[in-house]
Amino acid sequence: MTLPRFRPAALIHGSDYNPEQWRKVPGIWDSDMRLLNAAHLNSVTLGIFAWAELEPAEGVYQFAWMDEIIDRLHTNGQRVILATPSGAKPNWMAESYPEIRRVGDDGRRRVQGLRHNHCLTSPVYRAKVLQMNTLLAQRYGKHPALLAWHISNEYGGYCSCDLCKAGFRTWLQEKYGSLDALNDAWWSRFWSHTYTAWEQIDRLDGIHGAKLDWKRFMTHQCASFIRNEAAPLRTHSPDIPTTINLMPGITWYDHHTLGREVDFISWDSYPSWNGQHGENSPHWHLGLWTTFWHDHFRGMKRDEPMLLIETTPSQVNWAGVSPLKRPGVHRTANLLGISRGSEGVCYFQFRSSRGSSEKYHGTVVSHDGRDDTRVFRDVRATGELLHALQPIVGSLPRAEVAIIYDYQNIWTLNEMESPVKQALNHTSTCIDHYAPFWHSGVGVDVIEQSADISRYRIVIAPMLQMLLPGTAQRLSAFVENGGILVTTYLTGYVNETDLCFLGGFPGPLRELLGVRIEEIDALPAYRTVPVTATADHRLGLSGTWTARDICELLHAESAEVLATYAGEFYAGMPAVTRKATGRGVAYHLAARLGHDFHSLFAATLLRDAGITLPFAAPLPTGVTAQTRTAADGRRWLFLMNFNETAVTVAGAGGAWRDVESSAAMPATIELPACAARIYSAPATNQKNTTP
Ligand code: GAL
């Protein structure tokens, strides 16, 4: 079956829209139609959480309101991203079929309420979802307004009911064949956990392999739940692409696996703009982190566009402190999404809910119902801008650098009970490695460990503790063929069932990296260790840096030593190593080093990889440049200042022209606080270089 591809004709400017909440308020839909157009929105996401309004009692369907609103939207010039309503089940269903209510770790069945609280295994819930989705697909699958299917909402959480546990046991039987094999894979003789009957597999505490397999099973259940949801959509509207909205930093499921079930990836982005990202963290860190998440979600389907399907037009209701977006932020944050391959910007939500927990969430139209507010103007301006950016549709970010960010590895790190447990900070470590590329305007794909890496020049694998079967071979082939690989402390410790590699870490990467790890030191916050470049090596790094948190004590077996510890009892031991293999090279960073090291190191890697930067002069701190390239070579460059102060940027020269003013890029660009400029350049024959 050929799956439909997400190829919108125009950049999407959309919003979650819940007209079902307003059916009793006369005239409100009329006003919605006017306001949607006035805000320059061209699409809405409809029907999320509308189940109780579509099926108010079992088998009693009321589609008339949906028929009417879809027709009105169509007549009004809007496209519709139609949601399946499975993210929240109606009360009557929870009452009639208690088994669909989720069971917590404590074994208690949850009371009905809130949302995202159904069992993914329950055949009853699956049947109900299948039935509802079939009716929706039959009724609206050919509607000319339909742009895409939005399946459910933010899948998340686990259910521990008897059905799920029985499903888990069956899944394990298929995976391991025998209890003996399972006991070996889980090392369950530890603490006398040896399983002698499948029924004993119930609580998983203490057994890392079991917890890992539980997450895999739950991912498998969620993926099959999505397949069940998608089947009727694909049958009745084979040309309409499907998506799910994913969330950053949430690790219940392997999002890469879920992403394979749909035609394009969407994600929900809610940075606390103009607020605090972390203690003592500058504002631009929000821009950096948000770009990383864009690249993470886009990296799930690297050659496809994605969609920023939820973001707030102003504030959120759940953050405790959610400042108003300062001038410029709305535009710049949205352009960031576009620059990283989103084919549009969608909001949560269009009109403020009158009651309940989200009534104070930011919206396009607030309770005052006005179109002359600051937020409304910001939204309208975004709509106008996206319209002007029409030629960008179909172009994509390209990357020659990749960072591995792998859920299965993250699961093992999260479970890791070790001397360095408190210092792991895996995501921020990945972003420390990502940051220098962001500062240089070099595009990065953030990928899973089993992704094909042959297309990259540089691959960075921070803290890749778990090596799945095939990963070591893929990394070796990558280096062999000329790639530059960077690994760090905590690489190659465990296999796919979380069992430590015997014979020394980094396990199957020992030969490729040329190092053997003997011990790992955990540094309390008050202790740091200097690291000094060795006098004579080819990398050209010089200086002294500071190691924090984690220092591996390792032996360079066949690697060249580029830097050594210059303190502690392990002074003189290798801290940074390099080993050439075939046409490529593998670096290992044994300690957690700071930004000074990372920027110097990344500059060296980029130079060695022959990757040209879009701007010759360094960009000011907190400023990034991101590019999209069309199939015919036309390019767009987004220059974005995430500081709350103005900056001056040295222009890149070349053929870049300002998309909005048509002026050539000046020698000096003045960028106000949180401002963005967009430049375009015609096709050249050069690949990934300044025109
Ligand atoms: C998202 C969710 C939306 C809405 C929004 C509020 O996570 O998908 O339905 O609740 O948060 O910020």
Side-chain angles (χ1 to χ4, degrees), residues 283-329:
H283 185 259
W284 59 262
H285 271 191
L286 288 161
L288 168 69
W289 277 66
T290 307
T291 322
F292 176 85
W293 292 123
H294 277 301
D295 286 337
H296 167 52
F297 292 111
R298 185 185 51 76
M300 292 178 185
K301 291 191 192 290
R302 294 171 288 186
D303 300 320
E304 292 293 315
M306 51 113 182
L307 185 60
L308 174 54
I309 205 165
E310 275 189 37
T311 183
T312 177
S314 57
Q315 294 149 296
V316 296
N317 62 318
W318 42 259
V321 177
S322 181
L324 291 172
K325 284 186 198 165
R326 270 43 187 174
V329 168

Side-chain angles (χ1 to χ4, degrees), residues 16 48-49 115-116 153-154 245 247 268 270 310 312 316-318 348 358 361:
D16 273 31
I48 305 190
F49 310 126
R115 54 181 173 170
H116 306 136
N153 189 68
E154 292 188 338
N245 56 334
M247 299 159 282
D268 301 346
Y270 291 99
E310 275 189 37
T312 177
V316 296
N317 62 318
W318 42 259
F348 179 87
E358 291 184 330
H361 196 284

Side-chain angles (χ1 to χ4, degrees), residues 15 17-19 29 32-34 36-37 41-47 65-82 143-146 350:
S15 188
Y17 177 45
N18 298 97
W29 287 9
D32 286 348
M33 295 306 122
R34 182 184 68 75
L36 282 164
N37 285 345
L41 292 173
N42 57 21
S43 62
V44 298
T45 303
L46 197 66
W65 68 266
M66 179 96 70
D67 295 349
E68 184 187 340
I69 197 73
I70 293 187
D71 286 345
R72 289 190 71 166
L73 287 162
H74 179 53
T75 311
N76 202 47
Q78 308 291 322
R79 301 298 305 274
V80 170
I81 299 174
L82 191 56
H143 198 289
L146 188 62
F350 178 63

Side-chain angles (χ1 to χ4, degrees), residues 400 457-458 484 604-612 688-689:
E400 293 180 283
R457 307 298 318 281
I458 301 172
I484 298 174
T604 308
L605 300 181
L606 286 167
R607 186 201 60 208
D608 288 357
I611 297 174
T612 316
N688 241 12
T689 55

